[in-house]
Every structure is written in C-alpha cells, then in structure tokens.
Amino acid sequence: MKRIYMDHSGTTPIDPRVLEAMMPFLTEKFANPSSIYTEGREVRASLDQARVQVAKALNADAGEITFTSGGTESDNLGIKGIALGRKEKGGHIITTTIEHHAVTHTVDYLGENGFDISFLPVNKYGQVELETLENEIRDDTFLLSLVYGNNEIGTIQDMRDIVKLAHKHDVLVHTDAVQAVAKIPIDVKDLGVDLLSLSGHKIYGPKGIGALYARKGLRLAAVQHGGGHEKNLRSGTENVAGVIGLGKAMEIGEIGLTTEIPRVKAMRDRLVKCILSELEDSYLNGHPEKRLPHNAHFRFSYIEGEALLLNLDMMGIVASTGSACSSKSLKASHVLLAIGLTPEQAHGSLRLTLGKGNTDEEIDTVLEAVPKVVKKLRAMSPLGHGGGK
Amino acid sequence: MYSEKVMDHFMNPRNVGEMKDADGVGEVGNPTCGDLMKIYIKVENGIITNVMFQTFGCGAAIATSSMITELAKGKTIDEALKLTRDDVAEELDGLPPIKMHCSNLSADALRAAIEDYRKKNPGK
Ligand SMILES: Cc1ncc(COP(=O)(O)O)c(C=O)c1O
C-alpha cells in the first residue's frame, strides 16, 4: 500500500531538482569556500549565487541573508542577536502565546537574563489584534517577534499592519516565516519586517539549513563565535550542499506560488468542506480564510488525537495532532490552549498538511478514512452520542 | 513505541460498548487529562460473566481497557480484585513508560465496577 503523506508542516521530502543541484557539492566540489585556490573560489561563487537566489525570493538584498542551521537557529540569532547587540542593557520584548518553541524558549532564556518578556494573547482564530499589541508596547520595548504563518493551526497574521504599528513606536519586528515561505508570497520590503527566519526542510530542501533575513543597517550580535564566517554573524565552515539546496528550493518555491500552491489549496479546501459536512461536532481550528494554503486543522469532539492518528497510520495515512497524549510532556498544545480551547477539546485535534506529492485520489481516500475512524472512536467513547451525520 | 499486542487490542478492541443491564459500573479518569474509562460488569454467582468498556483516550487507554475485559471475564470477584495495572501492562507485552501512569487505568476501573456491584448487592 502506498503511504499517504500529509505532514508537510512537519517536514518535506527533498525535491529531485534540489538534490541534483546539491550532489556535486557532496562529491567532487568539496573544497572549503574560504580557501583561496581555484576550487575554493568556485565553491564560494556558488554560495554567493545561492544567497542571491534566497534574497530574490524574498525581495531582499543578498547582503541581508545569513545562512544558519535551520529555523531554530535563525530564530535564536534574530532574537538574541538584536537583544544582545543593543547598547542598552535589558529592555522589553513582546512575543505571542502561539509561537514555536524556537521563539518561546529563546525569549524565556532572555527573560532569565535581564530582559522583560510579554506574551500577547491572540483571538480565537489565533490572530494578534492591533489594539492588544499597542497596549502592550512600553517605552523600553525594542522587539516584537511574531510567527507569520502558525505551524499548528495555520493562521496568517496581518503582518503589514502589525509592522506599521510596531514601527510607529520604534519597535523592531522579527517574524518566524518557516511555515509561510513558499506557501504565500513574501516581500520583505513590502511587509516591512526587520528580521525573518526560514528553514530548508519545510520547503522541499534539506534538513539542517536555514536563513535569517536581517534588514541592512541592523546591529546584531553573533550567537556562535569562531572564524568569522557569514560576516562574523555565524561562524563555522558553511554547510555548502545545504546552502546550494536551500537556494534552489527557494527558487522552485517561488515559482510554485502560482502553479503548485493553487492546486494544493484546492485540495485542502475540498478536504475541509467535506470533513466538516460529513461529521457532526467537527470544527476547523484557526482562521477560515487567513490560513496557510496547505493546512487543515480539525477538532473532533468526544475522541482523542493520538488514537485517531494511530488508526490513520494503520490505514496508511500520515498526520499529526496537538493532543497531550502524543506529546512528551503530556501537555496539550500551547497553541490550541491559546486560542481558547479547553484541554479536553484540544485532545481531539488532527492536523493534515498537504504538499506536492498529494493527489485528488489521495484526498478521496482520506475523506473516506477520517470519518470512518472518527465514528469508530466515537462509538467506543463514553462521552457524547458518538455518531456521524 | 507500542507493542504488537497493544496495537492489536487498540485496532480491534474486544468487548466495546455500553452494557444496559450491567450489575456494576466503574468510571475512572478525567477527560481534561486525556483519559476516561467506563467498565461494565455482569455478575452471576460471584463470577464475572461479562465485561464491557467505553473509553475516551489514547491508544494505550483503549488497549488496556480491551485487555482488562478479557482478563476479568470468567474470574470470581475476588480473583478479579487482584488484577493490577502491572498485570494489564504485562499481558500487553509492556507499555511505553510515559503511558504507565496516565493511560493504564483499566484495573482501577474494574475495581470501581466491582465496588459499585457490592454497594448495590450488600453482602456479596
Ligand atoms: C514555525 C516554525 N519555526 C521554527 C521551526 C524550526 O525549524 P528547524 O526544524 O529548521 O529548526 C519550525 C519547524 O518545526 C516551525 O514550524
């Protein structure tokens, strides 16, 4: 049985064209790009070219792109880099209650080291409201970090308006766009963001590579010190093949915005519509329209997500859940709690994130499987009436 | 992470459903923390002749519920009272450590069902 992969927000397979671009740098083009002989200079030139590819996809300048080991490091470098690069000691950072742990735990660390941190609440769709933000801004607020497209519920923020408001108060804006890149058009100049994180493995590139966009003129401290690579912002011999792969993935991803993404969105829309009409007491988490085009995040009453996930797994369908029972901490997802769900409600969540490999036939299969499993588990459950429509 | 036996009981649970004419009903857990189990028993001459369950919870919660129904069926009340969480886990070829406490509640639910039966039938 062919497996149906619907966890593209978890990670993605490498696009064959990306792999092809990378291969020479894993084999014969192995020179260190810092070496000054011919082979080294050639690799350096390829790195520079990849930097241009990444910059172009964001409408940034190549000099504003720093390569990192992924989304986590980009978040760390962006946030700590700004915080520790300031002349003043301490100060106030604002973030939200729906961030990825790469941001949450980074600001927690800064909170333990002399900075004040505020976590903005979000509305029931997972959006930051301008009024809430404006009320939180203080004289010493210097940074706002806000996830652009949420990795769980898929909600997209009204970034341009948020940036405008933040800048009015001289607050810089960092956005974690790991899930948004190659899903929605991103133009850093138009959005106005000061820093933006992205990651290779969410966009059909390799794992262990990412980038931080930092607007020209910003003062950032390095987090990792050493030989002065990446303009002294991120020392360490470059992950050359990874960088080349990221460049190619960004280029392909940008083209895909007008070709691949509409196809994925149409499949997602059909999936959501049919599931919600087929099953009673089923809901879509996140915003109905302002959401990532590949994300469907459901909530089914009376059942638990891990049981749902395992049943689907046995039927060949790969999905994800925010249920406490599937997490190491046995705590419900902080994002689901932040949008106002009770722990009991958060248990019954199912995330399906679509991607390039998926087909309409696969959607048909999932549309048969999900209601079947939900009804089976409801029939076992002591809660509720346990039926479909 | 789950043994084959857990997966089998989870995918093909035995004795699922509500027992309308149960002699004893036991409920343990709390949906807020993820698991809620209900065990129904039928008792004749001190012997548990039928057991059924309803469970809201993860794979381990469902598998342990299914397993306890098989373990308890045919046992005397006194024998059934001796069944422990460890017995259930062992019969399932083990559970992931993290699930041992939160989802392995079925022995407790069975005990609650027996207590309910005894309350309704004093002296038995
Ligand atoms: C929103 C978001 N930020 C950051 C990350 C971390 O990225 P990476 O796995 O490349 O470190 C992820 C990936 O799970 C993510 O979804």
Side-chain angles (χ1 to χ4, degrees), chain A residues 9-10 69-73 75 100 102 147 149-151 176 178-179 199-202 208-209:
Chain A
S9 276
S69 64
T72 302
E73 189 190 331
D75 288 341
H100 190 273
V147 61
N150 184 266
N151 48 304
D176 178 335
V178 165
Q179 296 287 346
S199 173
H201 72 105
K202 311 285 188 184
I209 187 76

Side-chain angles (χ1 to χ4, degrees), chain A residues 270-339:
Chain A
R270 183 162 78 93
L271 181 69
V272 170
K273 194 165 148 251
C274 293
I275 295 276
L276 294 184
S277 68
E278 168 90 14
L279 283 166
E280 263 177 40
D281 300 322
S282 61
Y283 310 88
L284 184 72
N285 291 324
H287 198 282
E289 286 107 38
K290 291 177 184 172
R291 67 186 301 129
L292 295 171
H294 70 306
N295 172 297
H297 199 287
F298 299 102
R299 172 162 78 73
F300 304 109
S301 307
Y302 321 124
I303 62 171
E304 190 280 320
E306 190 217 66
L308 182 55
L309 202 88
L310 286 174
N311 264 287
L312 291 174
D313 184 19
M314 298 308 279
M315 296 166 96
I317 297 166
V318 182
S320 131
T321 175
S323 167
C325 304
S326 72
S327 75
K328 279 178 238 148
S329 62
L330 294 180
K331 286 211 183 86
S333 143
H334 65 282
V335 176
L336 298 181
L337 299 180
I339 59 172

Side-chain angles (χ1 to χ4, degrees), chain A residues 22-133:
Chain A
M22 290 169 68
M23 273 317 272
F25 298 90
L26 293 163
T27 50
E28 72 266 25
K29 297 192 182 185
F30 62 84
N32 190 322
S34 297
S35 298
I36 56 166
Y37 40 77
T38 307
E39 289 84 345
R41 291 201 307 272
E42 275 174 16
V43 172
R44 168 67 54 202
S46 299
L47 275 186
D48 290 344
Q49 210 182 328
R51 202 184 304 275
V52 170
Q53 279 173 314
V54 173
K56 231 175 113 189
L58 301 171
N59 191 27
D61 297 331
E64 296 172 317
I65 304 299
T66 303
F67 291 114
T68 67
S69 64
T72 302
E73 189 190 331
S74 296
D75 288 341
N76 270 270
L77 180 59
I79 296 168
K80 288 184 200 158
I82 289 294
L84 304 176
R86 280 159 43 92
K87 289 192 201 80
E88 303 87 347
K89 279 236 168 354
H92 181 223
I93 301 173
I94 301 175
T95 185
T96 79
T97 48
I98 57 161
E99 299 302 312
H100 190 273
H101 283 152
V103 168
T104 313
H105 292 159
T106 298
V107 295
D108 280 347
Y109 170 79
L110 291 174
E112 288 157 14
N113 287 277
F115 293 88
D116 282 341
I117 313 294
S118 296
F119 290 90
L120 283 183
V122 293
N123 66 21
K124 66 175 177 176
Y125 298 119
Q127 293 172 300
V128 165
E129 288 178 351
L130 291 174
E131 205 185 313
T132 319
L133 171 60

Side-chain angles (χ1 to χ4, degrees), chain A residues 302-304 306-308 310-311 314 325-330 343-344 347 376-377 379-383, chain B residues 1-2 7 10-11 13 16 31-34 36 38 53-60 62 98-99 102:
Chain A
Y302 321 124
I303 62 171
E304 190 280 320
E306 190 217 66
L308 182 55
L310 286 174
N311 264 287
M314 298 308 279
C325 304
S326 72
S327 75
K328 279 178 238 148
S329 62
L330 294 180
E344 186 178 338
H347 281 309
K376 175 185 167 186
L377 292 172
M380 274 187 230
S381 171
L383 304 169
Chain B
M1 77 175 189
Y2 286 139
M7 285 309 286
F10 163 59
M11 289 302 288
V16 187
T32 310
C33 53
L36 186 68
K38 230 169 163 171
F53 82 90
Q54 287 183 302
T55 290
F56 162 85
C58 66
I62 291 170
I98 194 167
K99 300 285 187 184
C102 75

